Short mmCIF file of all heavy atoms in Angstrom, two decimals:
data_model
loop_
_atom_site.label_atom_id
_atom_site.label_comp_id
_atom_site.label_asym_id
_atom_site.label_seq_id
_atom_site.Cartn_x
_atom_site.Cartn_y
_atom_site.Cartn_z
N THR A 847 27.38 73.40 7.81
CA THR A 847 27.93 72.15 8.01
C THR A 847 28.80 71.69 6.76
O THR A 847 28.77 72.21 5.72
CB THR A 847 26.88 71.02 8.13
OG1 THR A 847 26.07 71.03 6.77
CG2 THR A 847 25.90 71.34 9.27
N ILE A 848 29.61 70.63 7.05
CA ILE A 848 30.44 70.02 5.97
C ILE A 848 29.57 69.60 4.79
O ILE A 848 29.85 69.85 3.60
CB ILE A 848 31.29 68.86 6.47
CG1 ILE A 848 32.30 69.32 7.53
CG2 ILE A 848 31.95 68.07 5.34
CD1 ILE A 848 33.05 68.26 8.19
N TYR A 849 28.38 68.94 5.13
CA TYR A 849 27.45 68.50 4.11
C TYR A 849 27.03 69.75 3.24
O TYR A 849 26.98 69.50 1.98
CB TYR A 849 26.19 67.92 4.82
CG TYR A 849 25.09 67.64 3.79
CD1 TYR A 849 25.12 66.49 3.03
CD2 TYR A 849 24.01 68.58 3.68
CE1 TYR A 849 24.08 66.25 2.13
CE2 TYR A 849 23.04 68.34 2.79
CZ TYR A 849 23.13 67.17 1.92
OH TYR A 849 22.06 66.92 1.04
N LYS A 850 26.78 70.85 3.78
CA LYS A 850 26.34 72.02 3.00
C LYS A 850 27.40 72.48 1.94
O LYS A 850 27.22 72.69 0.80
CB LYS A 850 25.99 73.19 3.88
CG LYS A 850 25.46 74.46 3.08
CD LYS A 850 25.08 75.54 4.04
CE LYS A 850 24.49 76.71 3.23
NZ LYS A 850 23.96 77.77 4.15
N TYR A 851 28.65 72.52 2.52
CA TYR A 851 29.78 72.96 1.58
C TYR A 851 30.00 71.91 0.50
O TYR A 851 30.20 72.27 -0.65
CB TYR A 851 31.04 73.26 2.38
CG TYR A 851 31.01 74.44 3.30
CD1 TYR A 851 31.05 74.30 4.66
CD2 TYR A 851 30.84 75.73 2.78
CE1 TYR A 851 30.99 75.39 5.51
CE2 TYR A 851 30.80 76.89 3.60
CZ TYR A 851 30.78 76.64 4.98
OH TYR A 851 30.80 77.79 5.81
N GLU A 852 30.05 70.68 0.86
CA GLU A 852 30.39 69.64 -0.05
C GLU A 852 29.31 69.38 -1.14
O GLU A 852 29.46 69.14 -2.22
CB GLU A 852 30.64 68.32 0.66
CG GLU A 852 32.01 68.34 1.38
CD GLU A 852 32.34 66.87 1.98
OE1 GLU A 852 31.44 66.03 1.91
OE2 GLU A 852 33.38 66.69 2.39
N THR A 853 28.03 69.50 -0.60
CA THR A 853 26.96 68.96 -1.49
C THR A 853 26.09 70.11 -2.10
O THR A 853 25.57 70.02 -3.16
CB THR A 853 26.04 68.07 -0.66
OG1 THR A 853 26.85 67.01 -0.13
CG2 THR A 853 25.02 67.37 -1.55
N VAL A 854 25.84 71.12 -1.27
CA VAL A 854 24.83 72.13 -1.61
C VAL A 854 25.49 73.35 -2.31
O VAL A 854 25.01 73.68 -3.42
CB VAL A 854 24.07 72.59 -0.30
CG1 VAL A 854 23.08 73.71 -0.74
CG2 VAL A 854 23.39 71.51 0.36
N ILE A 855 26.58 73.92 -1.85
CA ILE A 855 27.02 75.11 -2.44
C ILE A 855 28.49 74.93 -3.08
O ILE A 855 28.87 75.84 -3.79
CB ILE A 855 27.12 76.25 -1.50
CG1 ILE A 855 27.98 75.99 -0.28
CG2 ILE A 855 25.70 76.69 -1.08
CD1 ILE A 855 28.15 77.25 0.65
N GLY A 856 29.19 73.94 -2.69
CA GLY A 856 30.46 73.74 -3.16
C GLY A 856 30.54 73.70 -4.73
O GLY A 856 29.82 73.02 -5.39
N ASP A 857 31.48 74.48 -5.30
CA ASP A 857 31.70 74.54 -6.76
C ASP A 857 30.46 74.90 -7.53
O ASP A 857 30.38 74.53 -8.71
CB ASP A 857 32.33 73.17 -7.26
CG ASP A 857 33.58 72.80 -6.60
OD1 ASP A 857 34.45 73.74 -6.43
OD2 ASP A 857 33.76 71.69 -6.11
N ARG A 858 29.61 75.63 -6.97
CA ARG A 858 28.40 76.11 -7.66
C ARG A 858 28.50 77.63 -7.93
O ARG A 858 29.27 78.34 -7.19
CB ARG A 858 27.14 75.90 -6.84
CG ARG A 858 26.65 74.47 -6.83
CD ARG A 858 25.26 74.38 -6.17
NE ARG A 858 24.29 75.17 -6.80
CZ ARG A 858 23.16 75.65 -6.19
NH1 ARG A 858 22.92 75.26 -4.93
NH2 ARG A 858 22.24 76.36 -6.83
N VAL A 859 27.95 78.11 -8.94
CA VAL A 859 27.79 79.58 -9.24
C VAL A 859 26.44 79.97 -9.06
O VAL A 859 25.42 79.44 -9.62
CB VAL A 859 28.30 79.86 -10.71
CG1 VAL A 859 28.15 81.38 -11.01
CG2 VAL A 859 29.74 79.39 -10.90
N ILE A 860 26.20 81.00 -8.27
CA ILE A 860 24.92 81.63 -7.95
C ILE A 860 24.92 83.01 -8.54
O ILE A 860 25.80 83.82 -8.34
CB ILE A 860 24.63 81.60 -6.39
CG1 ILE A 860 24.74 80.23 -5.89
CG2 ILE A 860 23.25 82.30 -6.14
CD1 ILE A 860 24.75 80.18 -4.40
N ALA A 861 23.80 83.32 -9.25
CA ALA A 861 23.73 84.66 -9.89
C ALA A 861 22.31 85.16 -9.51
O ALA A 861 21.31 84.42 -9.57
CB ALA A 861 23.89 84.57 -11.33
N GLU A 862 22.26 86.45 -9.11
CA GLU A 862 20.99 87.10 -8.78
C GLU A 862 20.92 88.52 -9.32
O GLU A 862 22.01 89.23 -9.35
CB GLU A 862 20.81 87.11 -7.28
CG GLU A 862 20.68 85.78 -6.57
CD GLU A 862 20.21 85.97 -5.10
OE1 GLU A 862 19.43 86.96 -4.81
OE2 GLU A 862 20.58 85.13 -4.32
N ASN A 863 19.74 88.96 -9.72
CA ASN A 863 19.55 90.27 -10.25
C ASN A 863 18.48 91.00 -9.40
O ASN A 863 17.54 90.42 -8.95
CB ASN A 863 19.00 90.29 -11.66
CG ASN A 863 20.06 90.00 -12.77
OD1 ASN A 863 21.17 90.64 -12.63
ND2 ASN A 863 19.71 89.21 -13.72
N ARG A 864 18.73 92.29 -9.14
CA ARG A 864 17.79 93.16 -8.52
C ARG A 864 17.66 94.38 -9.42
O ARG A 864 18.36 94.49 -10.43
CB ARG A 864 18.33 93.57 -7.14
CG ARG A 864 18.37 92.40 -6.14
CD ARG A 864 17.12 91.87 -5.79
NE ARG A 864 17.22 90.87 -4.64
CZ ARG A 864 17.35 89.61 -4.83
NH1 ARG A 864 17.54 89.10 -6.00
NH2 ARG A 864 17.40 88.78 -3.81
N GLU A 865 16.82 95.28 -9.03
CA GLU A 865 16.54 96.37 -9.91
C GLU A 865 17.80 97.27 -10.17
O GLU A 865 17.94 97.65 -11.34
CB GLU A 865 15.44 97.30 -9.17
CG GLU A 865 15.01 98.47 -10.04
CD GLU A 865 13.97 99.33 -9.40
OE1 GLU A 865 13.44 98.86 -8.36
OE2 GLU A 865 13.59 100.37 -9.98
N ASN A 866 18.61 97.52 -9.22
CA ASN A 866 19.76 98.34 -9.42
C ASN A 866 21.09 97.75 -9.22
O ASN A 866 22.12 98.44 -9.22
CB ASN A 866 19.65 99.52 -8.46
CG ASN A 866 18.49 100.49 -8.84
OD1 ASN A 866 18.21 100.68 -9.93
ND2 ASN A 866 17.76 100.92 -7.78
N CYS A 867 21.10 96.42 -9.04
CA CYS A 867 22.40 95.69 -8.84
C CYS A 867 22.26 94.27 -9.21
O CYS A 867 21.14 93.71 -9.20
CB CYS A 867 22.92 95.87 -7.40
SG CYS A 867 21.70 95.53 -6.11
N SER A 868 23.34 93.67 -9.48
CA SER A 868 23.48 92.18 -9.79
C SER A 868 24.58 91.54 -9.07
O SER A 868 25.58 92.26 -8.80
CB SER A 868 23.59 91.91 -11.29
OG SER A 868 22.53 92.48 -12.04
N LEU A 869 24.52 90.26 -8.79
CA LEU A 869 25.53 89.57 -7.98
C LEU A 869 25.90 88.28 -8.65
O LEU A 869 24.92 87.54 -9.12
CB LEU A 869 25.10 89.41 -6.65
CG LEU A 869 26.01 88.61 -5.60
CD1 LEU A 869 25.93 89.28 -4.22
CD2 LEU A 869 25.58 87.18 -5.57
N ILE A 870 27.12 87.97 -8.83
CA ILE A 870 27.63 86.68 -9.22
C ILE A 870 28.47 86.04 -8.05
O ILE A 870 29.42 86.66 -7.60
CB ILE A 870 28.50 86.69 -10.49
CG1 ILE A 870 27.64 87.36 -11.57
CG2 ILE A 870 29.00 85.35 -10.85
CD1 ILE A 870 28.55 87.70 -12.82
#
């Protein structure tokens, strides 16, 4: 939804680590 993009994930940086890989 528009709400999700504007409020939840818009202009945010998410970073995750796993055993053999990482994601930004």
Side-chain angles (χ1 to χ4, degrees):
T847 62
I848 294 174
Y849 171 83
K850 181 175 181 178
Y851 291 115
E852 286 188 349
T853 309
V854 180
I855 62 174
D857 300 318
R858 285 186 59 196
V859 177
I860 301 167
E862 293 190 32
N863 279 320
R864 296 293 190 272
E865 184 176 354
N866 293 318
C867 51
S868 299
L869 175 144
I870 302 171

